[in-house]
Amino acid sequence: MSDYVIETKRLTKNYGEQTAVNAVNVHVEKGRIYGLLGRNGAGKTTIMKMILGLTPITSGEVDVFGQNIKGREKRVYPRIGAIIETPGFYPNLTGTENLEIFARLRGTAAPNAVKNALDIVGLPYRDKKLFSKYSLGMKQRLGIANAILHDPELLILDEPTNGLDPIGIAEVRDFIKDLSTEHGKTILISSHILSEIALLADDIGIIDHGVLLEENSMETLKRKNSKYILLQVSDIPKTSLVLERQFGVTDYSVQDDHSLRIYNTSLDMAAVNKALVVQDVAVISSQLCNDTLEDYFKKITGGEGIA
Amino acid sequence: MNVNLFLLIAFCIALLFILFLVTKLRRVRGQLSIIEEALEDIKTGNPNRRVLTRKSDMTKRICYAVNEIAVKNQSQLISQKQSEQAYKRLMTSLSHDVKTPLASLVGYLEAATTGLVAGDEKEAYLHVAVEKAYHLKNFVETLFEWVKLDAKEQIFHFEICDLNELTRNIVAEWVPTLERNHFEYDFDIPEDEYFLRIDLHSYTRILNNLLQNTLMHSGGNKLTLKLLENEQQVKIIISDNGKGISPSDIPHIFERMYQCDRSRSALGNGLGLSITQELVNAHNGKIKADSKPGTGTVFTVLFPKAL
Amino acid sequence: MLKLTQTEFLKLRRRKFILLMLLAALLMPFLAIFYFRDIRETGIDTIQFYKWTAFSYTPWIILPVVLGVFSTMLMYDEHQNDMLKQLWIVPISKTKYFFSKFIVVLSYSICFMLLTAGLSVIFGTLPGYITFEWSSFCYLLKKCMEIAILTSFAILPLLAVAAAGKSYIFPVCLTLVYTFLGFILLMVNMYLHPLSSMTAIVMRDIPGVVLTQTLNIPAAFICIAIWCAGSVVLAILALGKRK
């Protein structure tokens, strides 16, 4: 039994001629939050469906809790809670009645699980409102309540903050973080919103056009982002001359008429400043900068931004 | 003919009944095997495992109990991990707090003894060294006091005292310091006697800490101290007109090592308010802080009359 | 399985239309009042009365249509809201899911026919057309149960189609087509269409019924069985195919 709660090996999904997911190797470690980041249509939901066994796999393998789900459904599914796409419920029943049905079908871990789940997501217990009258935010919350109803070890959440207002998004984010740190749950969450993943995930997998471009821990990613010194000067050519002749710096790039980036961050900027002043170049500003995660994402997906 | 039919029906009913019992037995057996698997998992260190049960199952109570044990186990593990982390953080910051003044002290003393400075300057250096030594002594003493409180090893001697008389004595000693720091003061201590069971040393410490805190950190120039009582409790209110504490800091000021003014300034240590809170709690009392940034801060300490 | 069926019934809460459809059981007994008005003087045979109210158009047209619409309604909710994937990960097996739906249809069918039986008796005895006899009443009940159970099985193909599709309209239209096809094929060959086979089985021992073809009960059962098996396979494959 490996330490990975979810491990996929060359997971592929083809719809006829089209490849939706191409040889993806995802590794979700126990007790951590794994963020699957990608634009809409990149293949995140398809991957999650294949992990859950909802969509047949064209080729490759998925192991959950160290084994294949097929054939062990009754043992494995109760340990997983999931939201895939928009959660649907019975419109002629109230939120509580809906959850009671699922509680009856699955079983629960504690006697008043339905009440607890509703309290956690902030929905009223035994309320008279029918599901058909729920707002989008309430529907999403009920979906989350259903996913945590049986206190599962693994949560697979497909865009859980979809349709929520900013306060709701922050609440769900705090709640997911809490599940991981206070309760040690393993969480696989997908999103196309970079900022959300950056705040939540411990590990991140970047998907684009069905290909897993990179899989790394957030710390590594943050460290990896190039640091550079942004120098704004009055005379770019003279500056580049000074850098190359006097300091032997070749690792720099000119951004525009007045600014350039020096990638050698161990350079002695005091000396550089002095040298430039001697050459009659005015230094407007000099600061240490970091590539944001967004820039990094743009770089590895080939230039386009995030939806 | 009728008897045969009757027998046939009776036979069918008996068969159905047996079928029902057999299914129930198989179901219970299945559930027991799941419980066994889950228990094994929990034993090998996965406290996140749950056993799901329905309200009508025979094994319901066992399942709920197993889950409760797992939850307790898990929260113990997690709080252990958290306090280990908190302890590590504390140790790191404390080592800085001791190393920094010590390094500086050594610096000054070395300068004075190796003849780097002479005469008046040498005198001045020695004075600074003495002050730093006192500061360090203070810090180490406070630290040990705090550690004793935290480990619940502090011994209190509760005796009945007149709080007002005690307070008057304590604040009287503060007058010179307040005047020296150009602090206006207004002490509103009633003439009658408020008898209360308290530990003398602790109460002195509490008042001293709060007054010290106001003097050092409020940034104001007026201090008010007022004592009130009602049927159940005695209230001590210490307020100032300083720069106040922002709403985001207020919940944390009583935490150990928390300092609002992020520059670890030489005079404060983060333990004063934390110690104060522990001491107040030992008396079954409550302490809280209210503040409006720019206007001032009010500390309220409540001691219940019945201990 | 039992739990699944229980929840199926819970899901029917507040669906008033389903209760309203039961009123269709009122139709034939009510019309009987007018139909038999002219011949009441000559005395009406109880069995003949029941034959008209409960064994004629009811099993041929009314009950199949009602059950077809009911089946569509049962399947519609979950398909409309894309709830099926939430059910699969409980886990619930697709076979058990389909069968629990069938049990609900069966129960509804039995309720409907019991209501028909009751109303037949009431609308027969109150205006004084017939007298209440235990033997004929037992016969009525027996026949109504047969009709209820067999029709549910005969409707299984429609349940399968409802399970496979997403829309409302197609299964309902198919219900009407299916029912009338069954009715028409009754004259041609009773063993091709499940509804016709059902009619054959029910009609086997009703006095006063003339059959144009030879009665072959086993063939009728086989016909129904084949259609049912096919529908079950179709349904489970279709449920699996949904993305």
Side-chain angles (χ1 to χ4, degrees), chain B residues 113-143:
Chain B
T113 51
T114 57
L116 206 66
V117 292
D120 277 341
E121 221 186 336
K122 184 166 163 184
E123 285 300 313
Y125 268 39
L126 286 175
H127 271 299
V128 172
V130 167
E131 257 184 46
K132 285 211 183 284
Y134 271 122
H135 178 75
L136 199 55
K137 173 171 176 283
N138 240 331
F139 181 74
V140 171
E141 280 175 354
T142 319
L143 183 60

Side-chain angles (χ1 to χ4, degrees), chain B residues 147-211:
Chain B
V147 165
K148 265 213 305 199
L149 269 179
D150 197 44
K152 311 263 188 279
E153 279 179 33
Q154 183 78 302
I155 306 175
F156 296 106
H157 298 287
F158 289 107
E159 42 194 31
I160 304 202
C161 316
D162 170 17
L163 213 63
N164 285 329
E165 183 63 33
L166 193 55
T167 313
R168 248 174 261 133
N169 291 339
I170 298 173
V171 300
E173 294 195 5
W174 272 91
V175 169
T177 319
L178 289 171
E179 288 183 345
R180 201 164 11 112
N181 284 293
H182 308 289
F183 242 89
E184 264 183 65
Y185 53 87
D186 176 19
F187 300 130
D188 180 5
I189 306 171
E191 282 302 318
D192 30 338
E193 298 169 317
Y194 291 170
F195 281 112
L196 214 60
R197 270 194 98 216
I198 51 166
D199 174 79
L200 225 75
H201 179 76
S202 304
Y203 184 69
T204 316
R205 219 51 187 94
I206 292 172
L207 273 195
N208 280 338
N209 275 355
L210 288 173
L211 292 171

Side-chain angles (χ1 to χ4, degrees), chain C residues 117-131:
Chain C
L119 287 173
S120 302
V121 171
I122 292 174
F123 278 86
T125 52
L126 278 181
Y129 290 162
I130 56 169
T131 50

Side-chain angles (χ1 to χ4, degrees), chain A residues 30 72 74-75 78-79 100 103-111 150-153 180-185, chain B residues 30 33-34 37 41 45-55 63-64 67-68 71 74-75 78 81-82:
Chain A
K30 191 153 149 196
R72 309 195 78 252
K74 265 219 141 30
R75 301 266 161 147
R79 297 165 75 181
E100 297 268 353
R104 241 181 234 265
L105 289 174
R106 264 199 222 106
T108 54
H150 51 296
D151 208 6
E153 297 160 61
S180 175
T181 48
E182 297 287 320
H183 297 96
K185 311 270 184 220
Chain B
S33 111
I34 293 184
E37 193 183 297
D41 206 7
N46 177 17
N48 244 317
R49 191 66 189 264
R50 302 278 178 266
V51 189
L52 298 183
T53 174
R54 303 186 177 91
K55 291 226 166 80
C63 293
Y64 288 155
N67 291 331
E68 273 174 35
V71 166
Q74 181 175 47
S75 50
I78 299 223
K81 199 163 56 146
Q82 279 177 345

